[in-house]
Amino acid sequence: MNENIKKFLDDYMKNADPQYAVMLTGQWGCGKTFFINHWLENLKTVENDREEVIYLKPIYVSLYGLSSLAEVKTEIDRKINPFYYSKTAKMLKTAAKFASKIVFKTDLTVDENREIKASASGSLDIMSLFESDSEEVKGTRFIVFDDIERTFIPMNILLGFINFFVERCKFHVLIIGDESKLKGDNLKIYSDFKEKTVGRQFEIVPDVDAALDSYIEDYGLDKFIRKEREYIIRCFRATTYNNLRLLRQCLYDFNEVLREFPEKEIRENEVIFHCLLFSFIAVYAEYNNTENHDTIANWDRVFLEYNASFKKDENNICCKLEKKYKDISEGNIYPATFYTFVNGVVNFLSKGCSIKGTIEALFPTKRINHTIQSKFDSFIYLPDDEFNKRYDEVEKDLLYGKIQDGNQIGVAIGYLGYFDVMQVHRLRVETLNRIKELLGTRLSLINDMKELLKFKTSFFYGYRYVSMSADNELPTKAMVEDFHNAIEQRLASLCDERQTILRNLTDENVGMLSELEDESYPDHSRPYSLVPVFEKENAAMLFDEICRLSNKGRYEFRNFLEIHYKLRTSVDYWEQYFKPDAAVLEPLLDMLKEISSSKDGVEGLSYRDLIKTLDNVINRCYGRK
């Protein structure tokens, strides 16, 4: 079906003055942006080297998070800027012809030979340029407005702006968004606009084949995943959710799981990894689906209760999920809802636990006594010589660094302490001291916040697996508490992704601050949108970073503030989360006010607008509005 849309767009571009816009709809994550970017790559545009002509190229604008037409125009200006299109010499000659429509950030200069020279960038008065029928403006009059449902611009103002391109500029206009997210007045205004201006509308069908090929190329996915291409498509379609972004993240994480295994091990146990892949895709889909999230998150309890019932209730969610994935599971040695797989993937998603040990325990050559749990869970039934043998193996593997997985390290330490408490096997002082050294060394090797949080979660989850069973205080308790404090101190010294950007703020990365808002914080406890931004920042250093930004960069930073603090939304709980930010933002505001008095022109405006936004942010931090 998407091929038909491509063909239509090709024909649409041949119409010199279409006088109508085209709408692409579809649910979030279905691949709308991916589709249009792929089509744009193959769109033939006129190339010419005439110095007196500006050749327009297709313009793509994401409206996500934008709150004013000024921001939209700034984005368009960045794309249409003659510096963006031409070599400097050519641009200057062209720019001279449009001098009445150009605003330069610095003055043009003329040398003694009457040659124009300039080292600064400039921007055209793009609206009058687009309306012009001048022979000096050629090229492709095509503009894309994406994420129409995720903008803060009033819908009537935005749609009036888009209509300007349709009716007065002879542009080919493509609007992309999920109509189902528009509500109330926005929906009514949009419906009226669509009836008048949108000539054709298409719904994008997720192109799993093309998307998967792109993921494989972009991420360099393991050859096992490449070989399973057709199987992945079948599994993904079985989920019925059609969220390509989710599939991308799922395959990326599965690829990381594969990296923990030698290629030979994957090849020898291909049947197991084949089953795990399906379970990974299914669990990812259901875990991120509101309807089934709680069931999947509590699979260890819910499935056991369901499985224990004599008569299976067909209305039970577990039963429905088994039926949903039954056809694809046919022929597999483990179904997608296999208890061990689902629990492993859920713990991977929610606690950061590695599933390596879980999978290895299923390998035919390692199915017996591989994980530490499998060695000791039934220790009371073992003869002393067998128990001592296993104890010595675990102790030796732990002390010599053969156990690397955080979860298994935690389980090992927990069991050694537990056996001491239960007077089954004494934990020697020298062993305890060497474990302390081991944990210190392990901690020193982790320099990434995400990795450290993942290790912390999996380690303590493993340790508590054992320690909760002991009636008395474990001899390892004080050591583990010290280790926990050491981790917290280390975490305080490491930067999350947003802090890294703030401390190295540039025009190129400032936009990434807004993109992080919906992403999960490294500890998976909440999204970045609910984590204070500036609590750990230095106001003076942040001030220096902001001053180094261009005018556009400062507006993008301001846009991030509006999005993060939801300045256009009424909220009652902000003080609970963001009051710590005020201590940094207040001195920052004073510094910006002081420097803004010496700034004029567009630069001065960028400072004044940022100051207004910061003032509103500080009020919100204190819960004043």
Side-chain angles (χ1 to χ4, degrees), residues 1-16 18 20-25 32-44 140-144 172-176 199-204:
M1 184 180 293
N2 291 350
E3 290 302 318
N4 294 334
I5 302 174
K6 290 178 182 178
K7 183 178 183 304
F8 170 82
L9 290 175
D10 290 340
D11 293 338
Y12 175 65
M13 293 303 297
K14 296 175 184 177
N15 187 338
Y20 70 88
V22 177
M23 178 75 192
L24 292 186
T25 65
K32 301 184 293 296
T33 303
F34 174 84
F35 168 83
I36 199 60
N37 285 338
H38 186 69
W39 178 75
L40 283 172
E41 287 177 4
N42 298 311
L43 179 65
K44 294 181 179 179
T140 306
R141 291 177 178 253
F142 180 76
I143 188 165
V144 179
H172 302 81
V173 177
L174 184 63
I175 306 168
I176 304 176
R200 295 293 297 272
Q201 177 171 324
F202 302 92
E203 181 173 356
I204 291 294

Side-chain angles (χ1 to χ4, degrees), residues 173-239:
V173 177
L174 184 63
I175 306 168
I176 304 176
D178 183 354
E179 291 181 316
S180 67
K181 304 299 181 184
L182 296 173
K183 307 294 181 184
D185 291 341
N186 278 348
L187 178 59
K188 183 180 184 304
I189 294 169
Y190 169 76
S191 298
D192 292 342
F193 164 84
K194 188 169 72 168
E195 183 178 348
K196 174 187 175 184
T197 308
V198 176
R200 295 293 297 272
Q201 177 171 324
F202 302 92
E203 181 173 356
I204 291 294
V205 177
D207 190 345
V208 190
D209 297 70
L212 186 53
D213 289 339
S214 174
Y215 304 156
I216 289 172
E217 180 179 347
D218 292 346
Y219 295 117
L221 299 180
D222 191 277
K223 65 180 181 181
F224 172 82
I225 295 179
R226 299 199 296 270
K227 190 175 72 170
E228 296 279 359
R229 182 183 181 281
E230 298 304 319
Y231 180 64
I232 291 171
I233 293 173
R234 289 178 58 215
C235 295
F236 176 69
R237 285 177 176 158
T239 69

